[in-house]
Amino acid sequence: MPRPLQISDESIDLAAKALRSGELVAFPTETVYGLGADATDDDAVAKIFEAKNRPRFNPLIVHVPDIESAKRIVEFPPQTEAIATRFWPGAISFVLPRRPDSGLSLLVSAGLPTVAVRMPVHEEARKLLCAVGRPIAAPSANSSGRISPTTAQHVANDLGDRVSVILDGGPCKFGVESTVVDLSVSPPALLRPGGVTAEALEEALGHPLGKPISSPDSPKSPGMLKSHYAPTLPVRMNANAARTGEALLGFGPAPECTMNLSEIGNLTEAAANLFAHMHQLDDPRWTGIAVMPVPEIGLGRAINDRLRRAAALRD
Ligand code: TXA
Ligand code: MG
């Protein structure tokens, strides 16, 4: 079990190497400790959900050391630049349209066309991000249902055996997660209150914030955010074979399937492939997507949650 390493140039270097080879690293930010993974690596991002034992795939915040790095992954119109330079670095994340050439894993944004991006103010966190040279996905470093960690020891107690490196930068200054504001809609909407207040944002924008859009057309699946990716084609779960016209998304050995989430039946691999495969199969060439059974254990719960939401839309 990794002991927290005092943050230093050496430990940052070690952590950056671990991140570049697809491992998980817990690191301090000014808000809470983050559970970081290379946001361009599907398998690494899948490990985040596995380590947190999250029963569903929430889109994650991608951390960058500077505005230039943010511009490489999301669209950055001039108004965004003005807001970003006003509040960054800081405890605020902006949801923006993801660039087609962002190179980000689809799992990072749960298949959405947008990505939440944040430039932390924490100096060592930014050193780490610079050293990695890749965008880092990082939710709070706690297992699902537990409170967010504000010391390295909290992380070690909770996730100790599931991360490669824990960097200890002392207690977090704020202790609450960043404000999340959606700049991809007009007017921008506050998705999560945090360190930066709605008033400060409204003052900078020069107009009131809008209301977030949530689940108006899907009363059957409470908690289903409109902003979650749903395929256009109907999804049929627990299928053993495709019906006429359907694409078959396999899990485990399935020679006749159109694409396979994991031929060897590995749930981490399946999670890593889920959104990319669904996107590819969501094509008018087929009439629907039939999905083979995925076991309801570990990451399988998150995979099935996502599939159930996609399937329920048509019921
Ligand atoms: O303070 C923080 O932001 C911490 C530290 C580690 O930086 N990170 C954090 O990350 O809280 P995470 O991944 O747990 O936060 C995800 C939040 C959720 O409320 C999620 O719904 C929202 O950001 N979010 C992420 N991407 C989104 C997107 N594309 N559209 C809408 N909401 C998004
Ligand atoms: Mg959290």
Side-chain angles (χ1 to χ4, degrees), residues 123-277:
E123 205 173 314
E124 273 90 12
R126 267 161 66 208
K127 267 196 197 166
L128 174 67
L129 295 169
C130 282
V132 185
R134 292 183 199 160
I136 296 300
S140 52
N142 55 283
S143 45
S144 190
R146 301 253 192 127
I147 55 165
S148 299
T150 53
T151 67
Q153 199 55 48
H154 292 160
V155 182
N157 295 345
D158 183 2
L159 297 177
D161 53 350
R162 288 175 252 167
V163 291
S164 297
V165 180
I166 301 172
L167 291 177
D168 187 351
C172 301
K173 216 164 107 192
F174 297 146
V176 281
E177 279 94 339
S178 63
T179 301
V180 180
V181 57
D182 189 351
L183 294 183
S184 75
V185 293
S186 185
L190 187 68
L191 301 183
R192 179 173 79 181
V196 174
T197 63
E199 289 74 19
L201 267 163
E202 291 183 336
E203 198 229 294
L205 288 165
H207 58 75
L209 288 160
K211 290 244 180 310
I213 313 160
S214 65
S215 67
D217 55 6
S218 185
K220 275 191 202 155
S221 7
M224 166 88 190
L225 289 176
K226 185 101 193 306
S227 61
H228 272 243
Y229 164 71
T232 314
L233 291 180
V235 172
R236 188 166 65 84
M237 293 177 70
N238 300 315
N240 289 308
R243 293 178 185 154
T244 312
E246 278 181 340
L248 182 64
L249 183 56
F251 178 82
E256 71 289 4
C257 69
T258 320
M259 294 189 85
N260 203 321
L261 290 170
S262 170
E263 273 175 41
I264 57 163
N266 178 294
L267 290 166
T268 311
E269 184 184 24
N273 286 330
L274 181 65
F275 289 99
H277 283 15

